[in-house]
Amino acid sequence: MNEELAITVGTAAREARERQGLTQGDVASQVGIAMEVYSRMERGRVLPSSTTLRRLCMVLRIRADTLLGLDGPTPPQEARTLALADREEDPPTLRRLVRALRPLDEEDLKAMGLIIQGALALRER
């Protein structure tokens, strides 16, 4: 989870920095951190402290929820997955399966879909 969050923060920071026309050195200087630290942050190698996160938001003129990847609509596939996992009337086995599939990327989900379709086709024979 921390690695995923670090990548999310780094990507959002880089995009915001580029929109502002700033260099990594500019941002690091204004935030009060070493350029090497900021560079690692943008590459998703390190998470900022809460104080640094606040300063980043001010320097980059970006909301914390945007920097943390919490804004915007939920992607349709993720919304469907979350809805399925949260339905109390579903059997526990189905809820566990949905939770196991949630971290997969699009390509892996497509592969799992094909496997399931193949298994269902065999079952119908």
Side-chain angles (χ1 to χ4, degrees):
M1 177 64 175
N2 280 346
E3 184 177 325
E4 183 180 324
L5 179 58
I7 291 169
T8 299
V9 169
T11 300
R14 184 187 69 245
E15 290 171 357
R17 175 182 60 79
E18 289 172 350
R19 277 194 306 273
Q20 297 291 325
L22 300 170
T23 66
Q24 286 185 342
D26 294 334
V27 174
S29 174
Q30 291 178 44
V31 171
I33 59 176
M35 191 180 87
E36 294 79 13
V37 172
Y38 181 75
S39 176
R40 287 196 311 265
M41 197 179 312
E42 270 197 11
R43 287 181 282 134
R45 302 283 188 240
V46 65
L47 278 170
S49 67
S50 56
T51 303
T52 300
L53 181 70
R54 183 174 186 276
R55 288 187 203 141
L56 273 174
C57 291
M58 294 184 324
V59 169
L60 296 173
R61 297 184 200 146
I62 186 171
R63 294 175 46 98
D65 56 348
T66 301
L67 201 57
L68 295 170
L70 298 174
D71 67 339
T74 304
Q77 180 61 39
E78 186 177 335
R80 282 195 300 273
T81 302
L82 290 172
L84 277 174
D86 291 338
R87 290 179 27 195
E88 290 297 321
E89 67 270 15
D90 285 337
T93 306
L94 177 59
R95 291 195 307 260
R96 280 194 300 272
L97 178 60
V98 170
R99 281 192 298 272
L101 294 173
R102 188 176 289 143
L104 299 180
D105 63 19
E106 189 67 28
E107 186 176 322
D108 290 338
L109 284 172
K110 286 179 184 177
M112 290 303 299
L114 292 173
I115 291 168
I116 292 168
Q117 288 174 352
L120 291 173
L122 286 174
R123 185 174 162 211
E124 292 174 1
R125 289 185 181 181

